[in-house]
Amino acid sequence: MSEQEVGDPRAAVAPSDESARVEKAGASAGSSRGRHLFSGSAGRNLGLVVALLLLCVVGFATAGERFASVSNLMTILSLGSVLGVVSIGMTFVITTGGIDLSVGSVLGLASVWASTLATQQMADQYGWIVMVVCALAVGLAAGVINGVIIAYGNVVAFIATLAMLVAARGLAELIAQRRTQIVDVASFNDTFKGNLVGVPKIVWIFALVAVAGWFLLNRTTFGRRTVAVGGNREAARLAGINVKRHLVYVYALSGLTAGIAAVMILARTSAGSSTNGTLLELDVIAAVVVGGTLLAGGRGTIVGTVLGVLIFTTLTNVFILNNLDSSVQQIAKGAIIVVAVLLQQRLARRST
Amino acid sequence: MVNADPPVTVPLLQMQGIVKEFPGARALDGVDLEILPGEVHCLLGQNGAGKSTLIKVLAGAHQPDEGQILLDGEPISISDPVASLRHGVATMYQELDVVDGLTVAENVYLGHELATLGFSQRREAVRRTREILRRLGHSEITPGMEVGRLSAAGKQIVSMARALSHDARVIVMDEPSAVLDSEEVGNLFRVVKELTAAGVAVVYISHRLEEIREIGDRITVLKDGRTVGQNLPVSETPTAQLITLMTGRSVEYVFPDSDAPAEGTPVVLEVDGLALRGVFRDVSVQVRAGEIVGLAGLVGSGRSEILETVYGARRASAGTVRVDGKRLRAGSVASAVDAGIGLAPEERKSQGLLLDEPVYRNITLSTFARFARGGFLDERAERTAAQEQADALDLRPAGVDRAARTLSGGNQQKAMLARWLVHGCRVLLLDEPTRGVDVGARAEIYALVRALADQGAAVLVVSSEIPEVLGLADRVLVISEGRVVHEGPAVSIDEHGVLDLVMEGSVA
């Protein structure tokens, strides 16, 4: 359709000058370089990178070679891997404007279920895959239940996943009877313990999940729907997106990442325990939010989440190397969360 | 600047050379406003002219960067909303600023609760609230009602009652009539006249020139954050001059020629016996390719619900919707979209757009999956398709990478139309297509809708402005109390005719 075809002469109108105003606004916003540098997604991530580097400087200054070594780097990465994988799933949930408080409990439940005597016996017989499938299935099932209750039951995510948090922990205790189940399946340990090309295998898993998560969020229709549902649920619905079904998928994804993390816990500690993942949800949410994903929904960043995870893990590492009390560490974490979110709001306000 | 004779009376409130800068935009660039006691002072201007920012400065929600505010000739500073109220300025915002979970009385006295030694005087608040509501002609709203259960119009009444609960000397009303039907507007005007008779000044913002003609005393016109016309007497200023001031150009505010399709043109949309329990019943309408059918009726008549039910956003309790003879699944938006129906909803910002996402993603919100390959997005193809439609609709600014938030109301509406053009839809449902769209852009939207119909789309349009429905549509259905009370060519009925039918419908 061209201008001429629209142009019933009586209805023709000279161009509005609003456009010029908006252009001007855009130009002057970009004119201040410092502002420009820190606005936009790249800028926000740059802030996180600077924070991480600062932490590394502090680590090197206080712990020297003990901090700046390849083995310590691997320690940090494997420490962060479990947190990281769950955080990737959580990033999707929070991008839709939701929350999943149950991830820690679901991880615990999946780790227990995948390491019961019965499961381990089957794994001895049919291979490690049995344990993996078991853990992932438990996580996925818990996520689907969360999603269905939230999307089709119209229950607020906070409440629905709080219920799952309590229930999953209880079920895990029931199954494990409060005993720690040692993983003694040779094929499982061979597959997941140890290094691959000098890097712990669980770190590879984290890397894979993070890359897959990035593609999923930024390059697929799934990611676009996630952002749309979080940005404006009603607009998404009226555009023809099946919002309820998509929410089920997103909570299922979160459950699935908790299941993957359960496998990683079993690989790292060889212990299936109902206390696995206790309070993990808080660290996960903190990492995601510090990373720059909006709690209100509509904007999510996988790179930010990974940086958030690394910041918290490195912080823990620096504190441990300096033999500092874990209580002090908690205080520092709290402060970081507040400062990071305050900074983000400041930057977000500037960039709009 | 056009400036009428200086007033004889001492101004109650003066704003002089007000400048307000936001990062990247100068919203107000030297605005002057002068309000006399007991007058209705109308503030006119297109969207983005700075009206809302100006009243926020007056309400203490924004601090001006330059300029001064004088009350009774004395400079005052309005550092926050409380200070504004203390100086006797009460503001009714356009966005409804009521708390859903509280009662009507609690909302009316929110922020200035009646209390003795910290104990709230609920009975007194209820009594005074009832009194104010009676003055407003809305005794059916009781002080104990929960505000969340009221309609948008009801909430507007509560917001108005709150402004009245302050012993204000100046009451600012930002588009108070936008969600009201004609009877309620009548009530509003009666209250405004009472207030001004008591010496209270009213600052009245509205897009509807006919309202300003009816109630206003003087007009100040803003354009691009500047005062371009000040203290123009309503009775002596021709509409053409106002529009010229607002737009900076002359506009012929007219509808495109209607050329209804011939009898033989195929029916695209066929609605048969559609009903939504408690809202509307037995609605049947056929729309041919190239035809624009309008639904006229008052707020609350069920017009918008009819569109939403046709679209599947609400599940019909009876009846069928067919597109090209194929029956749609009830209550399924996906089924409607697949069949080629598109909806431009009433509230673009809350129902239509992802404001922080780029324009092109808003345009392809219904079609991005079609461009994708194996679940992977093809953003380049999306952007190309979006840009093509944006250019066809003359979207301004033309770039599709900026956030949807930065577009004006008219251009946001174009983005919504572009979404359905990319989709290639056969049926367009338009709910209040020009709400929040300024005068200049309206004629453009009308021309676009007509052009889309000429290309073979079947269009069903709802508007609370009866002249808009009559001017735009080929055929009109008049809706009253959830029933179709009249169907006929748009040219064979006028605004009075429609209102007569609506009244009859409510009696029956």
Side-chain angles (χ1 to χ4, degrees), chain B residues 291-339:
Chain B
E291 192 180 25
I292 303 179
V293 173
L295 299 181
L298 302 178
V299 171
S301 62
R303 326 166 292 213
S304 298
E305 289 83 354
I306 292 173
L307 280 197
E308 287 170 14
T309 310
V310 167
Y311 192 56
R314 293 167 185 259
R315 185 186 285 271
S317 47
T320 56
V321 178
R322 286 189 169 81
V323 174
D324 295 329
K326 203 173 135 273
R327 187 173 165 174
L328 305 186
R329 220 164 65 232
S332 162
V333 173
S335 159
V337 171
D338 285 347

Side-chain angles (χ1 to χ4, degrees), chain A residues 1-3 5-6 8-19 21-26 28-29 35 215-225 227-241 294 298-299 349-350 352, chain B residues 23-26 46-48 223-224 249 252 254-257 311 313 333-334 337 343 345 349-354 357 361 364-366 368-369 372 375-377 379 382 392-394 396-397 402 406 408 419-420 438 440 443 447-448 451 455:
Chain A
M1 182 169 56
S2 78
E3 177 84 36
E5 282 166 25
V6 186
D8 179 323
R10 292 193 301 151
V13 165
S16 146
D17 57 355
E18 275 172 46
S19 53
R21 274 164 53 76
V22 180
E23 295 286 10
K24 198 172 72 185
S28 57
R35 223 185 250 174
F215 271 100
L216 195 59
L217 185 60
N218 297 299
R219 289 286 182 266
T220 69
T221 53
F222 183 91
R224 181 66 67 78
R225 287 191 190 104
V227 173
V229 167
N232 189 338
R233 188 172 167 159
E234 182 65 3
R237 186 176 84 97
L238 290 180
I241 293 173
L294 282 186
R299 193 179 78 209
R349 214 173 299 147
R350 264 201 224 164
T352 48
Chain B
R26 206 170 166 95
Q46 302 201 54
N47 291 319
K223 178 177 180 296
D224 298 343
R249 67 195 129 96
E252 265 192 90
V254 287
F255 296 98
D257 271 338
Y311 192 56
V333 173
V337 171
L343 170 77
K349 288 182 180 172
S350 65
Q351 299 181 297
L353 295 168
L354 303 169
E357 289 286 294
R361 286 191 192 164
T364 58
L365 191 61
S366 295
F368 62 82
F376 277 83
L377 298 165
E379 298 221 47
E382 280 183 48
L393 298 182
D394 194 19
R396 290 186 301 264
R402 65 177 61 244
T406 62
S408 67
R419 177 186 297 170
W420 299 118
D438 59 55
L448 283 175
Q455 288 163 34

Side-chain angles (χ1 to χ4, degrees), chain A residues 238-298:
Chain A
L238 290 180
I241 293 173
N242 191 333
V243 172
K244 288 176 188 283
R245 191 175 62 197
H246 190 72
L247 283 176
V248 173
Y249 289 163
V250 167
Y251 284 91
L253 178 69
S254 176
L256 183 67
T257 55
I260 295 172
V263 173
M264 294 159 75
I265 283 263
L266 290 179
R268 211 181 71 199
T269 64
S270 293
S273 158
S274 59
T275 60
N276 276 345
T278 304
L279 293 182
L280 181 73
E281 59 277 359
L282 299 184
D283 287 343
V284 170
I285 294 166
V288 172
V289 171
V290 165
T293 297
L294 282 186
L295 265 180

Side-chain angles (χ1 to χ4, degrees), chain B residues 335-457:
Chain B
S335 159
V337 171
D338 285 347
I341 304 188
L343 170 77
E346 182 177 3
E347 301 286 342
R348 277 183 299 281
K349 288 182 180 172
S350 65
Q351 299 181 297
L353 295 168
L354 303 169
L355 292 170
D356 292 323
E357 289 286 294
V359 171
Y360 77 87
R361 286 191 192 164
N362 275 284
I363 292 177
T364 58
L365 191 61
S366 295
T367 43
F368 62 82
R370 196 194 294 165
F371 292 103
R373 282 179 303 252
F376 277 83
L377 298 165
D378 185 345
E379 298 221 47
R380 187 173 305 179
E382 280 183 48
R383 198 183 274 112
T384 309
Q387 187 71 62
E388 200 176 294
Q389 294 305 336
D391 291 345
L393 298 182
D394 194 19
L395 188 82
R396 290 186 301 264
V400 292
D401 286 316
R402 65 177 61 244
R405 186 184 293 286
T406 62
L407 294 183
S408 67
N411 284 295
Q412 288 181 347
Q413 185 65 286
K414 287 188 199 170
M416 288 300 300
L417 292 178
R419 177 186 297 170
W420 299 118
L421 286 175
V422 171
H423 183 260
C425 75
R426 312 265 292 116
V427 180
L428 255 184
L429 309 176
L430 306 175
D431 198 353
E432 301 284 357
T434 61
R435 170 166 295 179
V437 173
D438 59 55
V439 175
R442 279 181 180 210
E444 249 185 306
I445 299 282
Y446 297 143
L448 283 175
V449 171
R450 175 52 70 186
L452 293 178
D454 289 345
Q455 288 163 34

